[in-house]
Amino acid sequence: MALHAEAVLCDTGPLARRLPDYECRPQQLEMARLVEENMERSGRLMVEAGTGVGKSFAYLIPAIRRIVERRERVVVATHTISLQEQLVEKDIPLLRAIAADEFSAVLVKGRNHYLSLRRLRLASQRQDRLFPDEGERHGLHQLEDWAMKTRDGSLASLPVQPAQAVWDQAQSDPHNCMGRRCPTHDKCFYQSARRRMENADLLICNHALFFSDLALRSRGRGFLPDYRHVILDEAHEIEDVASEHFGMKFSESGLRHLLRALLAVGGRGFLPHLRVRGGTEARVDAAIRLVESCEHALEAIASDLWTLARGQDEGGAGGERRLAAPDAVPDSLSAPLAELAGSLRLLKEDAAEEADAFELNAYAERADLAAASVQALVQQTVPGCVYWVEGRRKARSRQRPAMSLVAAAVDVAPILREHLFARSVSVTLTSATLATGPGDFALVGRRLGCDDARGVQLGSPFDFARQMRLWIDRGMPEPSHPRYEEALAERVLLQIRATDGGAFVLFTSLATMERLAQRLEHAMAELGHPFFVQNRGLQRTQMVQRFMEDPRSVLFGVQSFWQGVDVRGEALRNVIITRLPFESPDRPLTRARTERVEAQGGDAFRQDALPRAILRFRQGFGRLIRSGTDTGQVVVLDARIATKGYGRAFLEALPPGVEPRWLDEEADPPAFDG
C-alpha cells in the first residue's frame, strides 16, 4: 500500500494489525502532517512531541513517501545508539513490509567502525612485537575468529569488544588505505558500506557523524551523499554536539596511544621491527629518538596542564579550567610532533614492504594532526571558540588524570544558519523537550540559528495527572548550607524507602553524587537494595540493564541519566531530582555563553541559564512515565522551585494537570497512591 499517514496510523490500518495494543494517537497524525508539509515546502520545523506520541513513525512515514514518490534522499540523525537501533532494526523493517514500493535504508557509520581484513592479517603476522600483553593477543585471536563469520565487519556487531590497541591495528583507516591495490579490496567491509550509503534512499546516522560531515562541508568537502531532507531527532542535544564538532580537541591519552604503537616498552612496537632498504637503518633510529622526545614533551605539557587544571584546589580534583588567553603553557610538543611526522614520511620511502609504507603514512598523518591541534589550541587560533583544559581523575584514584585541551564553538547559530538552514533542504527538528514554556521555542531557535522555524508543541497521549504525583520538599536547606549534604542524604533515603527502591536519583554534580553514595552505601546494603552508581566501572547500558533486573534497585546518575534512558513498567517508579539542573557557572562553555549574552545587553540568567535548566528538568522529569500503564512519583529535593521567583517557570513547563504536592520536613513521605 502507499504510505499515507492517515491510512497507516489509523485504528484499522496495517500497523494496528501488526502491533499488539496499538492505539491511534491524534498527536502522531498531526506530527506526520506537519513533517510532510515541511518537506513539501523545504521548510524549517521544530516539533515537540511528548512521550508516547510515536515520533519515529510520524517522521518516517512522510520520509518514505517522499522517497518513493519523488526519489529524494532523506537523512535521519539521532543522538543515541538505542534510537538508531530501534529505527533500523524495528521501525523501518515494519514500514518496508507494508509499503507497496521498494526503498533502501542504511545505518551510516564512520570508517573507524569497520574492520580492515588486510590490516588484521598484518597485525596477526606481527602480534608478538605489537601486543606485549597476553590479553591483547587473545583479543586479536577473537577478532580473527569473528572476521571469518561477520557479514558487515562493523565494531558494533562484535560480541566482545577488543582492547583499543588491538582495534587500532585492525580498523579501516583512510591514511593507510591501498585502494584497489589492496589484496582484500573486493571484500572490504568499509567500501561495501560506502557503496550501500551512496545508493541508499534513507540514511540513518548519529549527530556526531552528521555534524562532522557538516563541518567538512563548511570547508568544501563532505562524505555523506547529497540529500534533500534532514530530520534531527533528539534535537535538544544538537547544540553541544555541533559546538564540539566546530571546535577542536587534543587528548594526552590519544597521543600516548599513538606513540606507544610506534615504540612500546621492551623494544616492541612498529618502529623497532620495521624493515627498510639497506643503508637507511639510521633513519629508523632517528625516528625512534623522536618518539622518545615526543614522550618527554608530552609528559611536560601534560604536567603543566594538570597544574593549571588543579589551580589552588587543595583536593586536586581538577576538572575544567578556562584558558582566557593564548600561551597559558609552553608549547614544547607541536614542534617535535611535526618533526616526527616528517621523519615517518621519509621512512615511508625506505620501507621494504609496501604495507609498511601505508602504515607509516597513517602514523605520519596522525602525528601531523596532533601537532597542528596542539599548536592551534595553545595559541588559540580557532575563531569563535572558548578554550579550556580538563583532567578528570577516576573515582577513588590518586593518579594524575590524562589531560585534554579543548576548544568549543561558543555560538553555533551563525555556523548552522549558513551551512544547514540556508541550504535548499527541508530541516525538521524534533524531541520530547524543545520548548521552555507553552509554545516558547525562542531559546532553541536562537541557539541553533533557526529563529524563523515554525514551532509546534504537541502534547503526550499519557494522562500524567492520573499516572503520577509530583512531590516537592520545601524544607530542604539551600545547597550552600553546611548541612546540605547531610539533609540530602536523609531525604533521599526516606524517598527510596517510600517506594521500596525502583528509584533513579539524579544529580547535577559527580562529586556530590559520589559523596552521597558513600554516605548511603551501608544503608543500601542493610535494606537489600541493589545499588548502582555512575562512574564506578559499569557502562550506562549495563547499569540500566542490571537496574531493570530487580524491582528494588536504586541507581545514582548524573547528566546522561537525565535523558535518553527508557525504563518502562514497575522497575522505575520513583525519580528523585536532587537539585534543579542549572549548569555550573564556572564551566568554561557556560561562562563564555553568559559573556556573549551580556555583551549583547541581555539578561544571561533569564535568557540562557534558566531556559537551559528548564529543558534539562523536563528531561529528568520525563524518565518516569514511559507508557500508558506506568505509575510513580517524581520528588524534587530543591526548595528553590517553591521559594524562588523563577521556580514557577519550572512548574509551568510540566505537562498539563500535574500539580505539586508539598512534603513537610517532619512528615513521612507518602508513596504514590494511584
Side-chain angles (χ1 to χ4, degrees):
M1 65 171 292
L3 287 184
H4 296 281
E6 294 82 357
V8 174
L9 298 173
C10 69
D11 282 330
T12 57
L15 287 184
R17 293 194 293 272
R18 285 170 169 80
L19 296 175
D21 303 320
Y22 178 84
E23 293 181 4
C24 179
R25 286 155 282 185
Q27 299 93 338
Q28 190 179 45
L29 283 168
E30 175 64 8
M31 180 173 171
R33 185 191 67 77
L34 290 166
V35 174
E36 187 167 304
E37 180 185 282
N38 192 56
M39 289 180 163
E40 177 63 31
R41 62 187 180 89
S42 296
R44 284 88 186 88
L45 172 69
M46 294 186 289
V47 55
E48 179 182 283
T51 308
V53 164
K55 296 191 301 298
S56 58
F57 283 139
Y59 59 67
L60 284 174
I61 291 171
I64 294 168
R65 183 178 179 186
R66 202 77 190 176
I67 288 166
V68 299
E69 293 183 1
R70 307 289 184 92
R71 307 317 306 178
E72 295 174 347
R73 182 178 284 120
V74 181
V75 173
V76 176
T78 79
H79 186 67
T80 58
I81 293 173
S82 58
L83 181 51
Q84 292 161 48
E85 291 174 344
Q86 174 193 315
L87 295 174
V88 172
E89 297 172 10
K90 297 179 181 178
D91 297 346
I92 292 172
L94 182 54
L95 293 175
R96 183 182 279 121
I98 65 177
D101 300 281
E102 290 293 321
F103 67 93
S104 57
V106 298
L107 177 61
V108 183
K109 303 176 184 178
R111 184 168 189 153
N112 62 334
H113 286 261
Y114 291 95
L115 177 74
S116 165
L117 291 170
R118 177 186 67 82
R119 296 194 71 220
L120 176 63
R121 185 181 303 165
L122 196 64
S124 180
Q125 293 167 357
R126 302 172 174 181
Q127 57 184 285
D128 289 339
R129 55 184 172 175
L130 290 176
F131 307 119
D133 182 76
E134 185 178 342
E136 290 178 347
R137 292 195 296 275
H138 178 67
L140 176 68
H141 300 153
Q142 289 181 314
L143 198 58
E144 291 176 300
D145 293 341
W146 169 76
M148 301 293 291
K149 307 169 189 173
T150 180
R151 298 182 63 183
D152 71 345
S154 166
L155 182 60
S157 64
L158 254 170
V160 179
Q161 301 293 293
Q164 188 60 47
V166 175
W167 184 251
D168 278 353
Q169 293 294 333
Q171 69 182 6
S172 183
D173 186 326
H175 302 303
N176 56 28
C177 177
M178 299 178 71
R180 295 191 177 278
R181 294 162 59 192
C182 176
T184 62
H185 182 269
D186 292 342
K187 301 176 182 177
C188 178
F189 295 117
Y190 171 72
Q191 295 296 342
S192 296
R194 185 168 183 84
R195 286 191 294 272
R196 289 194 298 272
M197 176 189 74
E198 290 172 345
N199 293 310
D201 302 307
L202 179 59
L203 307 180
I204 311 297
C205 65
N206 63 21
H207 289 168
L209 187 142
F210 179 79
F211 286 106
S212 291
D213 175 77
L214 207 63
L216 287 172
R217 285 173 185 263
S218 72
R219 298 191 287 271
R221 63 187 191 277
F223 51 83
L224 290 177
D226 288 338
Y227 46 82
R228 285 285 296 115
H229 309 281
V230 180
I231 299 166
L232 297 170
D233 201 344
E234 301 177 309
H236 60 279
E237 294 278 9
I238 64 178
E239 183 190 21
D240 284 345
V241 178
S243 182
E244 174 186 340
H245 281 83
F246 285 99
M248 185 178 287
K249 183 172 184 177
F250 164 78
S251 75
E252 176 192 357
S253 57
L255 179 57
R256 201 172 293 283
H257 191 75
L258 168 64
L259 296 175
R260 287 176 180 171
L262 288 166
L263 179 65
V265 176
R268 296 179 185 266
F270 182 82
L271 287 175
H273 301 277
L274 176 66
R275 292 177 52 236
V276 292
R277 297 186 184 92
T280 58
E281 289 82 1
R283 289 184 177 177
V284 177
D285 294 336
I288 287 174
R289 288 194 297 272
L290 282 169
V291 172
E292 292 170 341
S293 295
C294 289
E295 284 272 12
H296 293 310
L298 176 59
E299 183 59 38
I301 197 171
S303 296
D304 288 343
L305 291 173
W306 176 229
T307 300
L308 271 180
R310 284 187 305 179
Q312 301 302 313
D313 177 13
E314 294 179 4
E320 297 178 349
R321 181 166 290 256
R322 185 175 179 180
L323 303 178
D327 301 311
V329 295
D331 177 9
S332 57
L333 183 57
S334 61
L337 277 173
E339 192 176 354
L340 174 62
S343 176
L344 295 173
R345 287 196 176 90
L346 281 175
L347 275 177
K348 181 179 72 171
E349 307 303 321
D350 302 325
E353 298 179 28
E354 186 180 36
D356 284 338
F358 281 94
E359 291 294 313
L360 284 162
N361 185 67
Y363 285 128
E365 290 289 336
R366 290 166 67 184
D368 248 346
L369 178 61
S373 298
V374 170
Q375 186 176 57
L377 287 162
V378 171
Q379 296 180 6
Q380 300 193 2
T381 58
V382 185
C385 286
V386 58
Y387 296 79
W388 69 88
V389 56
E390 62 183 34
R392 300 191 183 279
R393 180 181 282 145
K394 293 181 180 179
R396 305 179 183 184
S397 171
R398 293 186 174 275
Q399 294 182 336
R400 174 180 70 76
M403 305 305 298
S404 295
L405 271 171
V406 186
V410 178
D411 184 7
V412 299
I415 305 171
L416 297 184
R417 190 178 293 116
E418 177 181 358
H419 298 292
L420 178 59
F421 297 112
R423 295 169 58 198
S424 56
V425 299
S426 79
V427 184
T428 299
L429 295 88
T430 186
S431 170
T433 52
L434 285 177
T436 56
D440 186 358
F441 291 86
L443 175 70
V444 174
R446 186 172 65 250
R447 281 162 45 178
L448 301 182
C450 54
D451 315 64
D452 58 345
R454 182 182 181 188
V456 179
Q457 206 170 6
L458 302 175
S460 169
F462 300 151
D463 186 352
F464 287 91
R466 178 186 61 81
Q467 292 179 245
M468 63 155 294
R469 295 288 180 267
L470 171 63
W471 297 99
I472 294 174
D473 190 337
R474 292 180 292 192
M476 268 296 296
E478 291 269 341
S480 58
H481 194 281
R483 282 197 66 250
Y484 171 72
E485 288 190 5
E486 181 183 344
L488 183 61
E490 293 170 357
R491 303 309 207 284
V492 166
L493 186 57
L494 280 172
Q495 297 301 330
I496 290 170
R497 282 176 162 161
T499 55
D500 193 30
F504 271 13
V505 186
L506 302 179
F507 296 83
T508 60
S509 160
L510 268 171
T512 303
M513 179 190 72
E514 182 59 35
R515 288 194 297 270
L516 212 74
Q518 291 177 25
R519 281 178 179 265
L520 294 179
E521 274 175 328
H522 182 67
M524 293 296 101
E526 276 196 334
L527 293 169
H529 294 295
F531 187 37
F532 306 101
V533 182
Q534 191 174 353
N535 208 37
R536 287 191 178 180
L538 286 179
Q539 297 296 320
R540 188 175 80 156
T541 51
Q542 295 173 305
M543 285 180 68
V544 172
Q545 183 59 44
R546 291 179 61 178
F547 174 88
M548 292 190 297
E549 290 170 359
D550 191 316
R552 301 187 68 245
S553 294
V554 175
L555 186 150
F556 279 21
V558 286
Q559 185 175 359
S560 62
F561 280 93
W562 287 72
Q563 54 197 11
V565 179
D566 192 355
V567 178
R568 303 185 182 205
E570 182 68 10
L572 179 60
R573 51 197 181 273
N574 191 358
V575 173
I576 302 169
I577 295 175
T578 59
R579 190 167 177 177
L580 296 178
F582 288 101
E583 290 183 350
S584 168
D586 295 327
R587 182 186 177 217
L589 186 54
T590 302
R591 186 62 201 157
R593 286 169 173 166
T594 296
E595 290 168 359
R596 177 173 53 83
V597 174
E598 291 175 347
Q600 296 168 350
D603 181 335
F605 179 78
R606 293 288 173 183
Q607 293 175 224
D608 197 67
L610 179 59
R612 288 177 190 273
I614 290 170
L615 285 179
R616 280 188 291 275
F617 179 75
R618 294 184 64 208
Q619 283 286 333
F621 180 92
R623 293 315 93 211
L624 181 66
I625 303 299
R626 309 301 297 175
S627 76
T629 57
D630 286 354
T631 59
Q633 63 182 36
V634 173
V635 183
V636 180
L637 299 179
D638 190 334
R640 293 176 299 175
I641 198 171
T643 60
K644 300 294 184 182
Y646 58 74
R648 176 50 53 182
F650 287 91
L651 299 177
E652 289 174 349
L654 295 177
V658 175
E659 295 294 334
R661 301 185 178 201
W662 312 105
L663 289 171
D664 185 84
E665 186 174 4
E666 285 76 34
D668 288 333
F672 176 68
D673 56 4

